[in-house]
């Protein structure tokens, strides 16, 4: 396999605040391969947006990468300055779709002009070529080519969102980082947007990192996922495998907590308590206070990723995987899981 | 379920807003544009019943709720509480009504006074409604909303509580005056999934235990279906379909309800969903006149859709769509239309 588009290894990020340094992300690792759609899911405050910001080099001033590496196409970028990021990475290698993308277009510039500016700064592309590329991307996201010369206010909210996707795509990046791209949208609009992203996927081999709190979006749209809890990656692997039979206590409960419109009688589980404040060095499992399986060990050491050994790259960070598995699945692997393994390999 | 007279009855309720007009408009005697936020809505709430109202943002569901509690004056139509018209209420009757009908808002972070302790917030509510401020009552209600032990929370201020805990306090504050009807406006949409489930379950239990009637408003069909007996689907100010919850989810009739349910991402493994076929977004409800309001996006559009459809009975649903009309019976329509109907249904 060719080298991964994005490789995050043992990433630890801290924010310095008045009350001391808060560890937003601790020892997070994952990789995204070419053309792969990767989902990062977790509750608010779990550090998923911080990871995204680190990847595009956009951490807040008080945020700092303490250790670990971020490799984009093999090259370490975590120590890049803003200028280096602009010159080498942003837009060309990695582009970004923010949460309320309607507010991320310059209201005073025609979309075409915005594209030409980006093309000039990041890719030395002549304006004519930029317009041409943008028109192509407009076509893909279902906007008429003729509209590239309009101002953002002439577009509806959904169309602005698509224009942002077109801009994110038009310099042909290897990876798009999308931070809750549809949270502000209603379900029908959300589905429309993913319909266009499906098309993007068909026609280009761009990879995507989708950050969301909604497991079902990841289930439908991503090949691989990482579930985060308070800065730690709890579980990681191929979507089908992980969601068919989650192994980490947090993933198990999270899956149970989701109301399902197609199953209104489902008993909803609750993940007790709330995520801890992670101050300073995190040398414990951040889920320990909420976990029914927790032992003393869990509050004394941070668990590392354990291979599940189901044949895929499924891992979970938990000391008591075997006990959890026995209690949860009664020793018998679900049929579903075995079927999915077959399709994943 | 529903027996006898409804406790709350809404009849042809309309709430229009005037667009702001410039001095030029006035000079030129242009007609004022009217935003038809709620247009001809009727429904009834019986004792112990829970009714859901769903729709996308801008469909008028929050305006409807505000009108029910008296924060908005109806432009036309009637709201009756125990057979008495709200428009004829005097001061003391309003006070009684506002004790009997309590509301929970979407954003728990902004609904409580940040400078008051939880005890003060609850005592204030009791004071307003001339009820005794015994400790026992306050402890009891906190236990009911699962804030254990009450002493731990009483002297805290909102800043010291999590989102889920705050929403529980908001629910406690609503319930402490022993209301008959609870209005809930997206009560869990700002909470994380892990807490969402527990608040939903608690709300359903409390409703049962306290013989409450509930009107639950949301854009999220999957949470509504866990709490409500019947669901009303709203689109641009009008109710387009009403049915028992499970029936609506499994067998939606109105093309809009179908699209809405179909667009919800699923995380069950055997559910293979197609992307939405609906294009565009809802228009602004400004002077939109006659006709079905969904017709510009509807995949089933016919000529007759230029006429406004009314809610009619169809196989246990009430649905406002020409697809289900026997046009000769309802409108004295032409043969042409009737033929079209037999082809479609």
């Amino acid at each position: 396999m060719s080298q991964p588009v994005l490789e995050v290894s043992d990433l630890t990020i801290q924010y310095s605040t008045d009350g001391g340094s808060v560890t937003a992300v601790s020892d997070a690792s994952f990789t995204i391969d070419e053309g792969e759609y990767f989902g990062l899911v977790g509750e608010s405050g779990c550090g998923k947006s911080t990871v995204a910001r680190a990847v595009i080099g956009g951490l807040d001033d008080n945020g700092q990468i303490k250790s670990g590496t971020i490799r984009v196409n093999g090259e370490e970028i975590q120590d890049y300055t803003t200028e280096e990021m602009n010159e080498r990475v942003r837009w060309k290698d990695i582009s970004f779709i923010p949460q309320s993308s309607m507010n991320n277009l310059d209201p005073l510039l025609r979309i075409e002009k915005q594209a030409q500016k980006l093309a000039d700064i990041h890719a030395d592309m002549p304006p004519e070529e930029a317009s041409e590329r943008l028109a192509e991307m407009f076509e893909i996201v279902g906007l008429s080519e003729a509209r590239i010369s309009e101002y953002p206010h002439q577009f509806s909210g959904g169309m602005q969102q698509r224009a942002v996707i077109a801009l994110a795509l038009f310099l042909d990046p290897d990876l798009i980082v999308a931070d809750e791209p549809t949270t502000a949208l209603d379900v029908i609009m959300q589905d429309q947007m993913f319909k266009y992203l499906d098309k993007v996927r068909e026609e280009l081999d761009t990879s995507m990192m989708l950050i969301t709190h909604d497991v079902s979006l990841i289930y439908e749209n991503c090949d691989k996922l990482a579930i985060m809890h308070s800065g730690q990656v709890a579980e990681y692997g191929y979507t089908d495998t992980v969601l068919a039979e989650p192994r980490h206590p947090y993933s198990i409960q999270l899956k149970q907590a989701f109301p399902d419109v197609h199953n209104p009688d489902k008993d909803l589980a609750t993940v007790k308590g709330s995520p801890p404040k992670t101050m300073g060095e995190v040398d414990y499992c951040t889920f320990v206070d909420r976990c029914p399986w927790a032992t003393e060990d869990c509050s004394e050491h941070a668990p590392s990723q354990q291979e599940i050994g189901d044949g895929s790259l499924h891992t979970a960070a938990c000391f008591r995987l075997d006990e959890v598995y026995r209690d949860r699945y009664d020793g018998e692997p679900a049929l579903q899981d075995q079927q999915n393994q077959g399709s994943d390999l | 379920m529903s027996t006898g007279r409804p406790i709350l009855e809404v009849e042809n309720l309309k709430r229009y807003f005037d667009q702001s007009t410039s001095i030029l408009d006035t000079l030129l005697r242009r007609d004022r544009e009217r935003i038809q936020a709620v247009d001809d809505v009727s429904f009834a709430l019986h004792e112990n019943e829970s009714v859901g109202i769903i729709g996308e943002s801008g469909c008028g569901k929050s305006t409807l709720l505000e009108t029910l509690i008296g924060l908005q004056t109806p432009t036309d139509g009637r709201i009756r509480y125990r057979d008495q018209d709200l428009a004829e209420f005097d001061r003391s009757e309003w006070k009684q009504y506002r004790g009997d009908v309590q509301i929970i808002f979407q954003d728990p972070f902004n609904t409580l006074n940040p400078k008051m302790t939880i005890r003060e917030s609850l005592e204030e509510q009791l004071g307003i409604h001339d009820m005794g401020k015994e400790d026992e009552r306050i402890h009891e209600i906190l236990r009911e909303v699962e804030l254990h032990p009450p002493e731990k929370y009483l002297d805290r201020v909102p800043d010291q509580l999590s989102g889920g805990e705050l929403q529980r306090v908001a629910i406690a504050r609503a319930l402490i005056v022993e209301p008959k009807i609870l209005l809930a406006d997206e009560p869990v949409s700002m909470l994380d999934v892990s807490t969402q489930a527990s608040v939903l379950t608690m709300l359903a239990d409390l409703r049962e235990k306290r013989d409450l009637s509930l009107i639950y408003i949301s854009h999220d069909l999957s949470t509504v279906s866990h709490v409500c007996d019947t669901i009303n689907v709203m689109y641009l100010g009008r109710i387009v379909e009403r049915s028992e919850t499970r029936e609506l989810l499994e067998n939606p009739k109105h093309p809009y309800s179908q699209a809405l349910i179909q667009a919800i991402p699923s995380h069950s493994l055997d559910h293979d969903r197609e992307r939405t076929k609906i294009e565009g977004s809802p228009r602004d409800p400004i002077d939109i006149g006659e006709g079905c309001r969904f017709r510009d996006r509807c995949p089933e559009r016919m000529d007759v859709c230029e006429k406004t459809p009314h809610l009619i009975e169809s196989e246990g649903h009430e649905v406002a769509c020409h697809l289900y009309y026997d046009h000769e019976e309802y409108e004295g329509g032409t043969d042409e239309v009737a033929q079209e109907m037999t082809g479609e249904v």
Side-chain angles (χ1 to χ4, degrees):
Chain A
M1 195 179 276
S2 58
Q3 73 178 345
V5 173
L6 179 74
E7 197 177 356
V8 172
S9 325
D10 300 321
L11 187 67
T12 299
I13 301 172
Q14 290 188 336
Y15 288 108
S16 48
T17 64
D18 292 343
S21 51
V22 175
T23 307
V25 179
S26 42
D27 283 329
S29 305
F30 57 87
T31 55
I32 304 179
D33 291 318
E34 190 182 323
E36 196 167 58
Y37 275 34
F38 175 81
L40 197 54
V41 68
E43 295 174 81
S44 45
C46 75
K48 54 191 194 300
S49 291
T50 301
V51 171
R53 284 162 169 271
V55 167
I56 57 164
L59 282 176
D60 287 342
D61 288 343
N62 62 344
Q64 203 193 350
I65 296 178
K66 282 288 171 191
S67 61
T69 55
I70 302 172
R71 284 199 190 84
V72 175
N73 294 322
E75 200 175 331
E76 287 191 19
I77 63 155
Q78 73 275 8
D79 298 325
Y80 275 16
T81 60
T82 311
E83 289 72 32
E84 285 172 315
M85 280 304 285
N86 275 335
E87 212 169 286
R88 301 190 205 165
V89 182
R90 289 182 188 156
W91 295 91
K92 251 190 343 237
D93 283 349
I94 303 180
S95 63
F96 185 55
I97 303 178
Q99 181 163 354
S100 50
S101 35
M102 305 76 158
N103 300 331
N104 283 275
L105 293 164
D106 186 334
L108 300 178
L109 277 186
R110 297 173 195 276
I111 310 269
E112 187 181 13
K113 272 266 177 288
Q114 302 188 30
Q116 288 172 351
K117 234 168 125 178
L118 290 171
D120 182 42
I121 294 170
H122 297 283
D124 280 331
M125 190 188 274
E128 300 76 36
E129 200 187 331
S131 303
E132 208 173 293
R133 297 267 314 151
L134 182 68
E136 280 171 37
M137 293 306 133
F138 260 49
E139 189 75 2
I140 292 183
V141 298
L143 294 169
S144 131
E145 285 181 29
R147 301 196 68 168
I148 61 167
S149 58
E150 289 187 2
Y151 286 99
H153 75 262
Q154 291 171 289
F155 287 48
S156 72
M159 288 159 79
Q160 287 182 17
Q161 188 111 18
R162 282 185 266 163
V164 169
I165 301 178
L167 281 175
L169 285 168
F170 94 109
L171 290 179
D172 196 17
D174 300 313
L175 175 70
I176 299 179
V177 177
D179 190 1
E180 304 265 14
T182 55
T183 303
L185 302 180
D186 290 310
V187 277
I188 293 183
M189 301 290 287
Q190 167 173 290
D191 213 37
Q192 284 175 4
M193 171 148 168
F194 276 104
K195 193 159 83 177
Y196 294 115
L197 289 177
D198 284 350
K199 217 165 142 205
V200 169
R201 193 175 194 176
E202 256 167 50
E203 303 196 6
L204 313 167
D205 52 9
T206 318
S207 309
M208 163 99 79
M209 177 164 150
L210 176 68
I211 290 139
T212 177
H213 63 278
D214 189 345
V215 176
S216 37
L217 279 181
I218 298 217
Y219 178 72
E220 284 197 342
N221 300 294
C222 296
D223 310 302
K224 231 156 71 179
L225 87 162
I227 298 172
M228 286 186 78
H229 183 269
S230 288
Q232 290 173 335
V233 173
E235 191 157 354
Y236 171 67
Y238 286 105
T239 310
D240 285 354
T241 330
V242 174
L243 291 184
E245 208 175 78
R247 299 298 188 93
H248 193 282
Y250 179 58
S251 329
I252 292 172
Q253 293 183 53
L254 193 67
K255 186 187 170 190
Q256 278 295 313
F258 258 92
D260 187 351
V261 69
H262 305 287
N263 181 12
D265 291 338
K266 171 179 169 184
D267 275 332
L268 298 181
T270 304
V271 189
K272 294 212 163 45
S274 44
K277 281 208 173 72
T278 44
M279 306 298 291
E281 198 191 342
V282 178
D283 50 3
Y284 50 90
C285 174
T286 54
F287 192 57
V288 60
D289 292 337
R290 310 176 75 184
C291 181
W293 285 279
T295 62
E296 245 170 65
D297 231 13
C298 307
S299 42
E300 283 165 6
H301 309 281
S304 56
Q305 293 290 334
Q306 308 286 319
E307 282 192 30
I308 300 298
D310 55 9
S312 66
L313 49 72
H314 192 173
T315 62
C318 178
F319 291 117
R320 306 197 64 206
L321 284 175
D322 294 338
E323 289 91 333
V324 172
Y325 184 78
R326 212 168 41 230
D327 292 353
R328 183 66 186 77
Y329 299 106
D330 203 19
E332 289 169 44
L335 195 62
Q336 194 81 47
D337 187 40
Q338 287 171 340
Q339 283 168 351
N340 280 319
Q341 276 177 43
S343 63
D344 279 331
L345 289 174
Chain B
M1 203 179 69
S2 49
T3 44
R5 297 287 303 153
I7 181 165
L8 190 73
E9 210 177 354
V10 176
E11 208 180 282
N12 304 105
L13 186 71
K14 292 182 182 149
R15 176 67 183 126
Y16 295 172
F17 296 99
D18 284 329
Q19 278 276 62
S20 56
T21 45
S22 67
I23 217 164
L24 190 69
D25 291 332
T26 318
L27 286 175
L28 295 174
R29 291 167 194 259
R30 285 186 193 144
D31 280 340
R32 277 178 168 232
E33 292 181 322
R34 306 247 269 178
I35 300 172
Q36 297 165 310
V38 175
D39 199 12
D40 220 6
V41 164
S42 306
F43 67 90
L45 177 72
H46 292 85
E47 267 181 52
N48 296 341
E49 193 184 17
S50 75
V51 169
I53 296 171
I54 60 157
E56 295 175 277
S57 43
C59 76
K61 53 194 192 302
S62 292
T63 307
L64 175 63
L65 203 70
E66 283 168 16
T67 317
L68 290 182
I69 192 97
L71 293 175
Q72 303 272 0
T73 318
T75 309
D76 194 19
R78 250 187 295 280
I79 303 169
R80 272 193 292 266
Y81 176 63
R82 296 188 191 283
D83 288 329
Q84 202 190 350
D85 197 328
L86 255 62
E88 291 156 10
F89 274 7
D90 60 27
R91 226 182 125 77
S92 72
E93 282 166 332
W94 265 118
K95 193 169 172 189
Q96 174 69 31
Y97 179 73
R98 287 189 168 138
D100 283 353
V101 181
Q102 287 290 315
I103 186 163
I104 316 167
F105 292 99
Q106 176 172 11
D107 180 357
F109 300 93
N110 290 319
T111 44
L112 293 162
N113 187 332
K115 294 196 170 164
M116 280 186 173
T117 63
I118 304 308
R119 181 198 299 275
E120 285 165 345
S121 280
L122 293 172
E123 283 180 350
E124 186 194 37
Q125 167 84 330
L126 287 170
I128 289 170
H129 295 283
D130 306 323
M131 295 172 78
K133 300 176 184 173
E134 304 86 19
D135 265 5
E136 192 37 50
R137 193 190 290 250
I138 291 172
H139 284 223
E140 174 64 33
I141 198 78
L142 286 180
R143 270 193 292 271
E144 261 190 76
V145 295
E146 294 160 17
L147 291 173
H148 301 286
E151 298 78 23
K152 187 176 143 202
Y153 294 93
L154 278 173
D155 296 314
R156 294 197 182 172
V157 289
D159 230 19
Q160 296 167 301
L161 302 185
S162 71
E165 288 169 332
L166 286 176
Q167 197 61 296
R168 285 164 195 275
V169 174
I171 294 172
R173 190 178 56 168
L175 294 184
I176 200 167
V177 292
E178 290 160 21
K180 305 286 181 288
I181 301 175
L182 193 60
L183 309 178
D185 189 359
E186 308 253 20
V188 297
S189 70
M190 306 237 339
L191 306 179
D192 274 314
V193 195
S194 61
T195 7
Q196 217 178 52
S198 63
V199 174
L200 277 181
T201 316
M202 186 191 77
L203 208 56
D205 291 348
L206 280 175
R207 192 178 73 76
E208 202 121 302
K209 207 164 105 195
R210 294 185 147 246
D211 289 339
L212 274 171
S213 310
L214 176 73
I215 296 180
Y216 185 103
I217 284 188
S218 178
H219 69 284
D220 184 355
L221 204 45
S222 50
T223 64
V224 181
S225 55
H226 279 271
V227 185
C228 297
D229 306 326
T230 48
I231 293 183
N232 294 272
V233 182
M234 245 180 124
Y235 186 76
L236 283 185
R238 292 212 181 115
I239 290 176
V240 296
E241 183 165 0
R242 165 164 47 227
S243 156
E244 185 264 320
T245 302
R246 176 175 294 268
E247 177 59 26
L248 184 88
L249 294 178
E250 284 171 4
N251 191 17
K253 289 194 171 285
H254 196 284
Y256 177 66
S257 325
Q258 291 169 354
L260 200 62
I261 290 167
Q262 205 244 325
I264 299 170
S266 167
H267 55 279
S268 56
L269 288 155
D270 47 351
H271 199 81
D272 217 4
R273 190 177 67 84
E274 271 178 40
R275 297 274 187 225
T276 184
K277 293 190 181 65
I278 305 294
E279 299 282 335
S281 46
R283 44 193 181 151
D284 293 326
I286 302 169
D287 285 328
I288 41 184
E290 272 283 290
C292 171
R293 298 195 165 171
F294 189 55
R295 65 183 189 279
D296 53 336
R297 301 169 79 196
C298 184
E300 311 275 355
R301 182 179 178 166
M302 303 173 289
D303 290 343
V304 65
C305 299
E306 298 301 321
K307 283 187 185 171
T308 305
H310 299 283
L311 278 174
I312 54 157
E313 284 282 339
S314 173
E315 297 167 32
H317 294 235
E318 283 176 80
V319 55
C321 174
H322 289 290
L323 282 176
Y324 304 95
Y325 262 56
D326 179 345
H327 283 85
E328 291 198 34
E329 184 183 329
Y330 287 98
E331 308 263 332
T334 59
D335 287 347
E336 196 187 342
V337 175
Q339 270 164 15
E340 209 169 339
M341 295 304 308
T342 46
E344 292 280 358
V345 180

